[in-house]
Amino acid sequence: MKDTTINYEGNTFHATNTINDEDGDDIVPPPLAPRLPLAGRNDVHRRPTVDEEKAEEDEDDIVPPLPAAPRSPRASRTVVHRRPYILEQDVGDPDPISAPPPSFAQSEFETGWGSTSYVELTAHDIELASSRLAEKPVLLEALRASSIAGNGMYGSVFYAFPAVAAAAGIFSPLALLIACLILFLFRPILRELGSAIRMNGAIYSYLLQSSGKTMALVGAAAIFLDSVATASVSAATASAYLSGEFDGALYGMKEAAVALGILALLAVVGLFNLRGSSVLAASFTVVHLATMAILMIASVIAWARHGSHTLRENWELRPRNGTEVAKAIFYGTCLAFLGVTGFETIPTYIENIKPSSYPRTLDVCIYTVLTLNAPLMLLVYALLPTSDILSGGNILSLLAEQVAGKWLRILVVVDCMLVIGGGGVLLGMVAMSSMLQRLAKDRVIPSAFFRTLPTGGAHWSILFFLFVAVILYASSGFNLVTISSVFAVTFPFVLLLYSVSNILLKFDRDRLPRDYQAKLGVTVLAFLAMVVVLAGNIIPTPKILGLFLAYFIVVLACLVGLQSRIQLARVAMWLYDQNFTLQKWRYTKGWDSSIVRWMTRLRKRPVCVWVKVDDIYNLVEAILYVRKNEMTARIILLHAYENAIEIPTEMEANVKILDEAFPGITIDLIFLKGKFNPILVEAASAKLEVPKSQMFMNTMGCSHGFSLSDYGGVRVANL
């Protein structure tokens, strides 16, 4: 036992330390530096240079040992010295826990040093985790699952037919057929993506697991804009269709008012019955398909009675030049993609679909629209003259009245209001709500979007959806043509990103288990097809690209800003420091402290990384990946072991080195006894109070025995 008196920068400190050498004699460690108050922003600590260290070694016999660097005041602990390092132990804890030495490289928020601990999960913890995983939610069969997306696909006949007819003329049935056939390229792509990464969020989730959060936000912005545009176009189309039946007047109401009313009504329905949205969507689908079946049967009978003279007359109006024919079919096919919209939204709610029903859901949507769109358009040209088709009226209601009378026309209008005004808006709301909840789980947006009402409605997500849909519709001047032009670019762009996601999955996550694999040639062909479709929609009216980019950049900037809250707060802090007026003004005085507290609160939430080996390169890669993609100042490295002898020998030492190398992050190491599997991950998530969406793991191989979806949201890092 030795008392040491230290004089440091004019202050006197006393320390009592006991350490025995191998012979049992007391050894006095180098004197401790005093605990200093939290350094201000202008205080800079500098490590000694190489020359300075060499000079100190040469003068070691003359100059007494320098005091150790000031230690972070992160916690009040008894300090015990061993060699040149410091051990920390909690007061009253007889077993000291080793910790790395203090450093001058302090975090701006004094994150402090990490710790090493061993956690043994109890049998009760494992039992609770098993019971939670055994609780299976009610999942959708193919019929109900396809009806949610199907309302957008099947109902598109009401707004896609006029645009396709204007571009392709008599070749419209062929253009619609080609557009439907292109969907077969995306069936294997969506199957492989859904098999490997079964998570809600569609492109966002796929790019998040295959690339990183920056690329994933591009997918999130695309789905965001696509969902809102789907709802806005559906509501505006239903309003325009209804207005056309009353010669432009809806009892004194404008079309915009009716469209806004439809959006608000469906938002209220979603708030109180989102869990039953599949039943509601299925009822809309049944009514629509029944109405279309009646219309097609009546049209076939009328065609048989009156012959094909109308079709021959329409055929005579076709372009005579081969180039003009090719252009008509090409541009018609590109616009015909509006007739299959909704297909891209199926992966946004894939977690709610039975895994065995997912391929059938894709098939039902493709084959139904293939059976409906092209044949129905052929009947239109067989029974209606081109002048009526291009008049701007409601094509299907005109056809209904001609083949069966007023009653069928009324039925078609009611069907349009249900499947487009109801089902189309509901589709956009479900897709966007699912994506917002995924973003909230990943801490991109506030956690309030993850909360739901007892009825199942995610109220903040739905209200936000309504707000954005109204803003989008209003910013287009309440013009259906303008909002549809944005939609004509958004939908192919989303499908294009599915191809990109699949390519990244094949190259960066090739070891990820999956039940189905699409051929690379099919994926590349689908990518090229969407590039051609985008070009075909943009070339005739280039301004729609500007409209799309304007909306897309705004959405993407908002998402990137939310993800970069810490960086933006630092910029705000710097601007505040440069403005002395704000520092003295009574209303803004002390904002710097508030910003620091807010940043600290954001960064204190931990992130867990499951590690298997002690290779320092892999550990560094894990930390760099988390630091790049997450807002956190604490990383917990988790290692599962069955026998203590299997623990990598250099794991603890390497983690201490990394804790020293990354002073802005506290790196803890926890050893969990047990075999790495979904049950252990679930139990660890509950024990550590870290959601599984904030856990990372390396890519498992096909021999692992579990798929990524079995881990319930755990993310794959670039390790």
Side-chain angles (χ1 to χ4, degrees):
M1 177 77 69
K2 294 197 176 184
D3 294 330
T4 304
T5 301
I6 306 166
N7 188 280
Y8 185 83
E9 295 185 357
N11 297 315
T12 301
F13 297 86
H14 299 277
T16 300
N17 301 294
T18 300
I19 287 186
N20 297 327
D21 62 7
E22 296 177 354
D23 298 328
D25 297 326
D26 292 344
I27 297 175
V28 180
L32 282 175
R35 290 180 180 268
L36 299 179
L38 183 63
R41 288 185 297 274
N42 296 325
D43 296 336
V44 180
H45 296 287
R46 178 178 62 83
R47 291 183 183 274
T49 64
V50 175
D51 293 335
E52 290 172 343
E53 290 178 348
K54 187 175 185 303
E56 290 170 2
E57 292 174 359
D58 294 338
E59 298 175 359
D60 189 65
D61 295 333
I62 302 174
V63 182
L66 290 174
R71 184 177 176 275
S72 170
R74 178 175 170 232
S76 298
R77 294 182 174 181
T78 301
V79 181
V80 182
H81 292 276
R82 176 179 61 82
R83 295 179 185 174
Y85 292 98
I86 294 178
L87 295 178
E88 294 182 340
Q89 70 178 53
D90 291 324
V91 176
D93 189 349
D95 297 322
I97 303 174
S98 61
S103 165
F104 279 111
Q106 300 290 336
S107 162
E108 63 181 325
F109 298 116
E110 295 292 331
T111 55
W113 304 112
S115 63
T116 300
S117 60
Y118 290 77
V119 176
E120 187 169 349
L121 298 171
T122 64
H124 182 64
D125 294 332
I126 299 298
E127 182 181 351
L128 288 177
S130 300
S131 62
R132 286 193 296 270
L133 292 178
E135 295 176 358
K136 300 296 183 181
V138 178
L139 300 179
L140 303 177
E141 298 284 355
L143 178 60
R144 285 200 295 165
S146 62
S147 64
I148 297 175
N151 284 322
M153 297 180 69
Y154 316 150
S156 61
V157 295
F158 290 106
Y159 58 81
F161 276 19
V164 176
I170 191 64
F171 301 106
S172 295
L174 179 60
L176 287 165
L177 177 63
I178 296 173
C180 294
L181 292 176
I182 292 176
L183 286 183
F184 282 101
L185 296 175
F186 289 93
R187 180 182 178 275
I189 293 174
L190 295 188
R191 280 196 63 183
E192 181 177 5
L193 289 170
S195 174
I197 307 172
R198 191 170 174 270
M199 296 171 59
N200 286 350
I203 309 171
Y204 166 76
S205 296
Y206 299 152
L207 291 174
L208 181 67
Q209 297 285 14
S210 303
S211 175
K213 198 165 265 188
T214 302
M215 189 67 181
L217 292 179
V218 175
I223 288 291
F224 184 100
L225 190 58
D226 180 72
S227 302
V228 177
T230 297
S232 300
V233 169
S234 298
T237 300
S239 176
Y241 218 85
L242 191 62
S243 177
E245 296 301 309
F246 293 94
D247 297 326
L250 296 172
Y251 298 104
M253 294 185 294
K254 294 184 178 180
E255 290 183 20
V258 175
L260 295 175
I262 293 173
L263 289 171
L265 178 62
L266 266 296
V268 172
V269 172
L271 285 173
F272 290 98
N273 194 31
L274 191 62
R275 286 178 180 171
S277 59
S278 62
V279 177
L280 188 63
S283 63
F284 291 155
T285 300
V286 170
V287 171
H288 176 64
L289 293 180
T291 303
M292 292 298 101
I294 294 172
L295 178 61
M296 293 176 73
I297 292 172
S299 299
V300 169
I301 295 174
W303 189 2
R305 287 179 177 176
H306 298 93
S308 301
H309 65 277
T310 303
L311 181 61
R312 285 192 295 268
E313 291 176 358
N314 291 332
W315 177 255
E316 292 299 323
L317 299 176
R318 73 188 186 282
R320 301 293 180 178
N321 187 290
T323 303
E324 294 298 322
V325 171
K327 288 175 61 177
I329 296 175
F330 171 71
Y331 289 120
T333 301
C334 295
L335 283 174
F337 247 74
L338 288 173
V340 294
T341 183
F343 183 75
E344 80 285 6
T345 63
I346 299 176
T348 60
Y349 55 93
I350 188 174
E351 291 181 27
N352 305 103
I353 305 174
K354 289 183 178 181
S356 59
S357 298
Y358 183 63
R360 292 200 299 272
T361 301
L362 300 175
D363 292 340
V364 168
C365 289
I366 294 176
Y367 285 107
T368 302
V369 77
L370 184 65
T371 305
L372 179 64
N373 284 15
L376 187 57
M377 194 59 153
L378 178 61
L379 293 172
V380 167
Y381 271 93
L383 296 169
L384 293 179
T386 300
S387 58
D388 289 347
I389 296 172
L390 301 179
S391 64
N394 300 334
I395 295 177
L396 295 185
S397 62
L398 290 174
L399 177 65
E401 185 172 13
Q402 180 163 327
V403 300
K406 192 71 173 179
W407 68 272
L408 186 54
R409 178 168 186 162
I410 295 174
L411 180 60
V412 168
V413 173
V414 172
D415 172 51
C416 175
M417 296 300 297
L418 290 177
V419 74
I420 292 295
V425 175
L426 187 64
L427 167 62
M429 183 168 57
V430 169
M432 186 172 176
S433 179
S434 298
M435 191 203 66
L436 289 176
Q437 291 187 55
R438 183 74 253 173
L439 290 172
K441 280 185 178 180
D442 295 334
R443 296 177 180 172
V444 176
I445 60 178
S447 59
F449 287 94
F450 188 61
R451 299 170 189 162
T452 59
L453 295 173
T455 57
H459 51 290
W460 287 116
S461 297
I462 293 174
L463 293 176
F464 183 71
F465 157 79
L466 176 62
F467 172 76
V468 176
V470 171
I471 292 297
L472 182 66
Y473 187 34
S475 63
S476 67
F478 301 104
N479 189 298
L480 177 59
V481 175
T482 302
I483 199 70
S484 296
S485 63
V486 176
F487 191 45
V489 178
T490 305
F491 173 54
F493 181 65
V494 170
L495 291 179
L496 179 74
L497 290 179
Y498 278 122
S499 303
V500 174
S501 301
N502 190 244
I503 293 173
L504 290 175
L505 179 68
K506 290 179 179 296
F507 283 93
D508 291 339
R509 299 290 184 266
D510 58 313
R511 295 176 58 244
L512 206 61
R514 67 203 74 177
D515 298 330
Y516 183 89
Q517 288 195 14
K519 294 181 179 179
L520 180 61
V522 174
T523 304
V524 173
L525 183 60
F527 175 85
L528 295 176
M530 288 305 98
V531 171
V532 172
V533 169
L534 280 170
N537 285 336
I538 293 171
I539 290 174
T541 51
K543 70 176 184 179
I544 68 174
L545 178 61
L547 289 172
F548 165 75
L549 289 176
Y551 288 116
F552 181 77
I553 290 173
V554 170
V555 174
L556 181 60
C558 291
L559 292 176
V560 172
L562 288 170
Q563 174 63 20
S564 307
R565 281 169 281 179
I566 296 296
Q567 290 82 352
L568 293 177
R570 287 173 180 158
V571 173
M573 189 91 163
W574 180 82
L575 292 174
Y576 182 85
D577 284 348
Q578 306 305 310
N579 194 317
F580 294 102
T581 303
L582 291 177
Q583 297 176 27
K584 296 179 180 179
W585 193 29
R586 55 179 298 188
Y587 297 106
T588 56
K589 189 176 182 180
W591 274 16
D592 52 349
S593 300
S594 300
I595 293 173
V596 169
R597 286 194 299 270
W598 180 72
M599 294 169 70
T600 305
R601 188 169 61 253
L602 280 180
R603 299 175 77 237
K604 73 178 182 180
R605 297 175 296 186
V607 168
C608 294
V609 180
W610 291 91
V611 293
K612 185 178 181 181
V613 297
D614 58 3
D615 180 33
I616 197 167
Y617 175 79
N618 285 339
L619 297 177
V620 170
E621 285 293 306
I623 294 171
L624 291 176
Y625 183 86
V626 172
R627 191 174 69 169
K628 178 182 178 182
N629 291 280
E630 301 300 321
M631 298 177 292
T632 185
R634 185 186 176 200
I635 298 176
I636 302 175
L637 300 180
L638 301 174
H639 177 76
Y641 70 96
E642 295 184 70
N643 299 309
I645 195 173
E646 299 174 353
I647 297 177
T649 56
E650 300 299 321
M651 178 79 74
E652 185 175 356
N654 288 344
V655 170
K656 289 178 183 178
I657 294 172
L658 295 178
D659 195 24
E660 171 73 11
F662 293 92
I665 301 176
T666 298
I667 304 175
D668 296 328
L669 175 62
I670 295 180
F671 295 99
L672 283 167
K673 188 170 184 178
K675 185 176 181 180
F676 182 75
N677 55 38
I679 296 177
L680 181 70
V681 172
E682 175 68 27
S685 174
K687 188 82 171 180
L688 302 176
E689 297 182 348
V690 177
K692 288 186 287 185
S693 61
Q694 294 303 303
M695 288 186 169
F696 296 82
M697 62 187 293
N698 203 350
T699 305
M700 75 281 286
C702 296
S703 60
H704 178 62
F706 299 97
S707 65
L708 183 61
S709 62
D710 293 328
Y711 287 93
V714 176
R715 288 160 53 186
V716 176
N718 286 334
L719 306 183

Coordinates of all heavy atoms in Angstrom, one line a residue, residues 379-436:
L379 N -62.7 -6.1 -77.7 CA -64.1 -6.0 -77.7 C -64.5 -4.5 -77.9 O -65.5 -4.2 -78.6 CB -64.8 -6.5 -76.5 CG -64.7 -8.1 -76.3 CD1 -65.2 -8.5 -74.9 CD2 -65.5 -8.8 -77.4
V380 N -63.7 -3.6 -77.3 CA -64.0 -2.2 -77.4 C -63.8 -1.8 -78.9 O -64.7 -1.1 -79.5 CB -63.0 -1.4 -76.5 CG1 -63.1 0.1 -76.9 CG2 -63.4 -1.5 -75.1
Y381 N -62.8 -2.2 -79.6 CA -62.6 -1.8 -81.0 C -63.5 -2.6 -81.9 O -63.7 -2.2 -83.1 CB -61.1 -2.1 -81.4 CG -60.3 -0.9 -81.1 CD1 -59.6 -0.7 -79.9 CD2 -60.2 0.2 -82.0 CE1 -58.8 0.4 -79.7 CE2 -59.4 1.3 -81.8 CZ -58.7 1.4 -80.6 OH -58.0 2.5 -80.4
A382 N -64.0 -3.7 -81.4 CA -65.0 -4.5 -82.3 C -66.4 -3.9 -82.3 O -67.2 -4.1 -83.2 CB -65.0 -5.9 -81.8
L383 N -66.7 -3.1 -81.2 CA -68.1 -2.6 -81.1 C -68.2 -1.1 -81.1 O -69.3 -0.5 -81.3 CB -68.7 -3.1 -79.8 CG -68.8 -4.7 -79.8 CD1 -69.2 -5.2 -78.4 CD2 -69.9 -5.1 -80.8
L384 N -67.1 -0.3 -80.8 CA -67.2 1.1 -80.8 C -66.3 1.7 -81.9 O -65.2 1.3 -82.1 CB -66.7 1.7 -79.4 CG -67.5 1.3 -78.2 CD1 -66.8 1.9 -76.9 CD2 -68.9 1.8 -78.3
P385 N -66.8 2.8 -82.6 CA -66.0 3.4 -83.6 C -64.9 4.2 -83.0 O -64.9 4.6 -81.8 CB -67.0 4.4 -84.3 CG -68.1 4.6 -83.3 CD -68.2 3.3 -82.5
T386 N -63.8 4.4 -83.7 CA -62.6 5.1 -83.2 C -62.9 6.5 -82.7 O -62.3 6.9 -81.7 CB -61.5 5.1 -84.3 OG1 -61.2 3.8 -84.7 CG2 -60.3 5.8 -83.8
S387 N -63.9 7.1 -83.3 CA -64.2 8.5 -82.9 C -64.8 8.5 -81.5 O -64.4 9.4 -80.7 CB -65.2 9.1 -83.9 OG -66.4 8.3 -83.9
D388 N -65.6 7.5 -81.1 CA -66.1 7.4 -79.8 C -65.0 7.0 -78.8 O -65.0 7.5 -77.6 CB -67.2 6.4 -79.7 CG -68.5 6.9 -80.4 OD1 -68.6 8.1 -80.7 OD2 -69.4 6.0 -80.7
I389 N -64.1 6.2 -79.2 CA -63.1 5.7 -78.3 C -62.1 6.9 -77.9 O -61.7 7.0 -76.8 CB -62.3 4.6 -78.9 CG1 -63.2 3.3 -79.1 CG2 -61.0 4.2 -78.1 CD1 -62.5 2.2 -79.9
L390 N -61.8 7.7 -78.9 CA -60.9 8.8 -78.7 C -61.6 10.1 -78.3 O -61.0 11.2 -78.2 CB -60.1 9.1 -80.0 CG -59.3 7.9 -80.5 CD1 -58.5 8.3 -81.8 CD2 -58.3 7.5 -79.4
S391 N -62.9 10.0 -78.0 CA -63.6 11.3 -77.7 C -63.3 11.8 -76.3 O -63.7 12.9 -75.9 CB -65.1 11.0 -77.8 OG -65.6 10.0 -76.9
G392 N -62.7 11.0 -75.5 CA -62.4 11.4 -74.1 C -63.5 11.0 -73.1 O -63.4 11.3 -71.9
G393 N -64.5 10.3 -73.6 CA -65.5 9.8 -72.7 C -65.1 8.6 -72.0 O -64.0 8.0 -72.1
N394 N -66.0 8.1 -71.1 CA -65.7 6.8 -70.4 C -66.0 5.6 -71.3 O -67.1 5.2 -71.6 CB -66.7 6.7 -69.2 CG -66.5 7.9 -68.2 OD1 -65.4 8.5 -68.2 ND2 -67.5 8.3 -67.4
I395 N -64.9 5.1 -71.8 CA -64.9 4.0 -72.8 C -65.8 2.8 -72.4 O -66.7 2.4 -73.1 CB -63.5 3.6 -73.2 CG1 -62.7 4.7 -73.8 CG2 -63.6 2.4 -74.2 CD1 -61.3 4.4 -74.2
L396 N -65.5 2.3 -71.2 CA -66.2 1.1 -70.8 C -67.7 1.3 -70.5 O -68.5 0.5 -70.7 CB -65.5 0.5 -69.6 CG -64.1 0.0 -69.8 CD1 -63.5 -0.7 -68.6 CD2 -64.0 -1.0 -71.0
S397 N -68.0 2.5 -70.0 CA -69.4 2.8 -69.7 C -70.2 3.0 -71.1 O -71.3 2.6 -71.2 CB -69.6 4.0 -68.9 OG -69.0 5.2 -69.5
L398 N -69.5 3.6 -72.1 CA -70.1 3.6 -73.4 C -70.3 2.2 -74.0 O -71.4 2.0 -74.6 CB -69.2 4.4 -74.3 CG -69.1 6.0 -74.1 CD1 -68.0 6.6 -75.0 CD2 -70.4 6.6 -74.3
L399 N -69.3 1.4 -73.8 CA -69.5 0.0 -74.3 C -70.6 -0.7 -73.6 O -71.4 -1.4 -74.2 CB -68.2 -0.7 -74.1 CG -68.2 -2.2 -74.5 CD1 -68.4 -2.3 -76.0 CD2 -66.8 -2.9 -74.1
A400 N -70.7 -0.5 -72.3 CA -71.7 -1.2 -71.5 C -73.1 -0.8 -71.9 O -74.0 -1.6 -72.1 CB -71.5 -0.9 -70.0
E401 N -73.3 0.5 -72.2 CA -74.7 1.0 -72.6 C -75.0 0.5 -74.0 O -76.2 0.2 -74.2 CB -74.7 2.5 -72.5 CG -76.1 3.1 -72.8 CD -76.2 4.6 -72.6 OE1 -75.1 5.2 -72.4 OE2 -77.3 5.1 -72.5
Q402 N -74.0 0.4 -74.8 CA -74.3 0.0 -76.2 C -74.7 -1.5 -76.3 O -75.5 -1.9 -77.0 CB -73.1 0.3 -77.1 CG -73.3 -0.2 -78.6 CD -72.4 0.5 -79.5 OE1 -72.0 1.6 -79.3 NE2 -72.0 -0.3 -80.6
V403 N -74.0 -2.3 -75.5 CA -74.2 -3.8 -75.6 C -75.4 -4.3 -74.7 O -75.9 -5.4 -74.9 CB -73.0 -4.6 -75.2 CG1 -71.8 -4.2 -76.2 CG2 -72.5 -4.4 -73.8
A404 N -75.7 -3.5 -73.6 CA -76.7 -4.1 -72.7 C -77.7 -3.0 -72.2 O -78.7 -3.4 -71.6 CB -76.1 -4.8 -71.5
G405 N -77.4 -1.8 -72.4 CA -78.4 -0.8 -71.9 C -77.9 0.0 -70.7 O -76.7 -0.2 -70.2
K406 N -78.8 0.9 -70.2 CA -78.4 1.8 -69.1 C -78.0 1.1 -67.8 O -77.1 1.6 -67.1 CB -79.6 2.8 -68.9 CG -79.2 4.0 -68.0 CD -78.3 5.0 -68.8 CE -78.2 6.2 -67.9 NZ -77.3 7.2 -68.6
W407 N -78.7 0.0 -67.5 CA -78.4 -0.7 -66.3 C -77.0 -1.1 -66.1 O -76.3 -1.0 -65.1 CB -79.4 -1.8 -66.1 CG -79.1 -3.0 -67.1 CD1 -79.6 -3.1 -68.3 CD2 -78.2 -4.1 -66.8 NE1 -79.1 -4.3 -68.9 CE2 -78.3 -4.9 -68.0 CE3 -77.4 -4.5 -65.8 CZ2 -77.5 -6.1 -68.1 CZ3 -76.7 -5.7 -65.9 CH2 -76.8 -6.5 -67.1
L408 N -76.4 -1.6 -67.3 CA -75.0 -2.1 -67.2 C -74.1 -0.9 -67.1 O -73.0 -1.0 -66.5 CB -74.7 -2.9 -68.4 CG -73.3 -3.6 -68.5 CD1 -73.1 -4.5 -67.2 CD2 -73.2 -4.5 -69.7
R409 N -74.4 0.2 -67.7 CA -73.6 1.4 -67.6 C -73.5 1.8 -66.2 O -72.4 2.2 -65.7 CB -74.1 2.5 -68.5 CG -73.3 3.8 -68.4 CD -73.6 4.8 -69.5 NE -72.7 5.9 -69.5 CZ -72.6 6.8 -70.5 NH1 -73.2 6.6 -71.6 NH2 -71.7 7.8 -70.4
I410 N -74.6 1.9 -65.5 CA -74.6 2.3 -64.1 C -73.8 1.3 -63.3 O -73.0 1.7 -62.4 CB -76.1 2.3 -63.6 CG1 -76.9 3.4 -64.3 CG2 -76.1 2.5 -62.0 CD1 -78.3 3.5 -63.9
L411 N -73.9 0.0 -63.6 CA -73.1 -1.0 -62.8 C -71.6 -0.8 -63.1 O -70.8 -0.9 -62.1 CB -73.5 -2.4 -63.3 CG -72.8 -3.6 -62.6 CD1 -73.0 -3.6 -61.1 CD2 -73.2 -4.9 -63.2
V412 N -71.2 -0.4 -64.3 CA -69.8 -0.2 -64.6 C -69.3 1.0 -63.8 O -68.2 1.0 -63.3 CB -69.6 -0.1 -66.1 CG1 -68.2 0.5 -66.4 CG2 -69.8 -1.4 -66.8
V413 N -70.1 2.1 -63.7 CA -69.7 3.3 -63.0 C -69.6 3.0 -61.5 O -68.6 3.4 -60.9 CB -70.7 4.4 -63.2 CG1 -70.4 5.6 -62.4 CG2 -70.7 4.8 -64.7
V414 N -70.5 2.2 -61.0 CA -70.4 1.9 -59.5 C -69.2 1.0 -59.3 O -68.4 1.2 -58.3 CB -71.7 1.1 -59.1 CG1 -71.5 0.6 -57.7 CG2 -72.9 2.0 -59.2
D415 N -68.9 0.1 -60.2 CA -67.7 -0.8 -60.1 C -66.5 0.1 -60.2 O -65.5 -0.2 -59.4 CB -67.7 -1.8 -61.3 CG -66.5 -2.6 -61.4 OD1 -66.0 -3.1 -60.3 OD2 -65.9 -2.6 -62.5
C416 N -66.4 1.1 -61.0 CA -65.2 2.0 -61.1 C -65.0 2.7 -59.8 O -63.9 2.8 -59.3 CB -65.4 3.0 -62.2 SG -64.1 4.2 -62.4
M417 N -66.1 3.1 -59.2 CA -65.9 3.8 -57.9 C -65.4 2.9 -56.8 O -64.6 3.3 -56.0 CB -67.3 4.4 -57.5 CG -67.8 5.5 -58.4 SD -66.7 6.9 -58.5 CE -66.7 7.5 -56.8
L418 N -65.8 1.6 -56.9 CA -65.4 0.7 -55.8 C -63.9 0.2 -56.1 O -63.1 0.3 -55.1 CB -66.3 -0.5 -55.8 CG -67.7 -0.3 -55.3 CD1 -68.6 -1.6 -55.5 CD2 -67.7 0.2 -53.9
V419 N -63.6 -0.2 -57.3 CA -62.3 -0.8 -57.5 C -61.2 0.2 -57.6 O -60.1 0.0 -57.2 CB -62.4 -1.8 -58.7 CG1 -62.4 -0.9 -60.0 CG2 -61.2 -2.7 -58.7
I420 N -61.6 1.4 -58.2 CA -60.5 2.4 -58.3 C -60.6 3.4 -57.1 O -59.6 3.6 -56.4 CB -60.7 3.2 -59.6 CG1 -60.4 2.3 -60.8 CG2 -59.8 4.4 -59.7 CD1 -59.0 1.9 -60.9
G421 N -61.8 3.9 -56.9 CA -61.9 4.9 -55.8 C -61.7 4.2 -54.4 O -61.2 4.8 -53.5
G422 N -62.0 2.9 -54.3 CA -61.8 2.2 -53.0 C -60.6 1.4 -53.0 O -59.7 1.6 -52.2
G423 N -60.5 0.4 -53.9 CA -59.4 -0.6 -53.9 C -58.1 0.1 -54.3 O -57.1 -0.3 -53.7
G424 N -58.1 1.0 -55.3 CA -56.8 1.6 -55.7 C -56.2 2.5 -54.6 O -55.0 2.4 -54.3
V425 N -57.1 3.2 -53.9 CA -56.6 4.1 -52.8 C -56.2 3.2 -51.6 O -55.1 3.4 -51.0 CB -57.7 5.1 -52.4 CG1 -57.2 5.8 -51.1 CG2 -58.0 6.0 -53.5
L426 N -56.9 2.1 -51.4 CA -56.6 1.2 -50.3 C -55.2 0.5 -50.6 O -54.4 0.4 -49.6 CB -57.6 0.2 -50.1 CG -57.5 -0.8 -49.0 CD1 -57.6 0.0 -47.6 CD2 -58.6 -1.9 -49.0
L427 N -55.0 0.2 -51.8 CA -53.7 -0.4 -52.2 C -52.5 0.5 -51.9 O -51.5 0.1 -51.3 CB -53.7 -0.7 -53.7 CG -52.3 -1.1 -54.3 CD1 -51.7 -2.3 -53.7 CD2 -52.5 -1.2 -55.8
G428 N -52.6 1.8 -52.3 CA -51.6 2.8 -52.0 C -51.4 3.0 -50.5 O -50.2 3.1 -50.0
M429 N -52.5 3.0 -49.7 CA -52.4 3.2 -48.3 C -51.7 2.0 -47.6 O -50.8 2.1 -46.7 CB -53.8 3.4 -47.7 CG -53.8 3.7 -46.2 SD -55.4 4.3 -45.7 CE -56.5 2.9 -46.2
V430 N -52.0 0.8 -48.0 CA -51.4 -0.4 -47.4 C -49.9 -0.5 -47.7 O -49.1 -0.8 -46.9 CB -52.2 -1.7 -47.9 CG1 -51.4 -3.0 -47.5 CG2 -53.6 -1.8 -47.3
A431 N -49.6 -0.2 -49.0 CA -48.2 -0.3 -49.4 C -47.4 0.8 -48.7 O -46.3 0.5 -48.2 CB -48.1 -0.1 -50.9
M432 N -47.9 2.0 -48.5 CA -47.1 3.0 -47.9 C -47.0 2.8 -46.4 O -46.0 3.0 -45.7 CB -47.7 4.4 -48.2 CG -46.9 5.5 -47.6 SD -47.5 7.1 -48.2 CE -46.4 8.2 -47.3
S433 N -48.1 2.3 -45.8 CA -48.1 2.0 -44.3 C -47.1 1.0 -44.0 O -46.4 1.1 -43.0 CB -49.5 1.6 -43.9 OG -49.6 1.4 -42.5
S434 N -47.1 -0.1 -44.8 CA -46.1 -1.2 -44.6 C -44.7 -0.7 -44.7 O -43.8 -1.0 -43.8 CB -46.3 -2.3 -45.5 OG -47.6 -2.9 -45.4
M435 N -44.4 0.2 -45.6 CA -43.1 0.7 -45.8 C -42.7 1.7 -44.7 O -41.5 1.6 -44.2 CB -42.9 1.4 -47.2 CG -41.5 1.7 -47.5 SD -41.3 3.1 -48.7 CE -42.0 4.5 -47.7
L436 N -43.6 2.5 -44.3 CA -43.3 3.4 -43.2 C -43.0 2.7 -41.9 O -42.1 3.1 -41.1 CB -44.4 4.4 -43.0 CG -44.6 5.5 -44.1 CD1 -45.9 6.3 -43.8 CD2 -43.4 6.4 -44.2

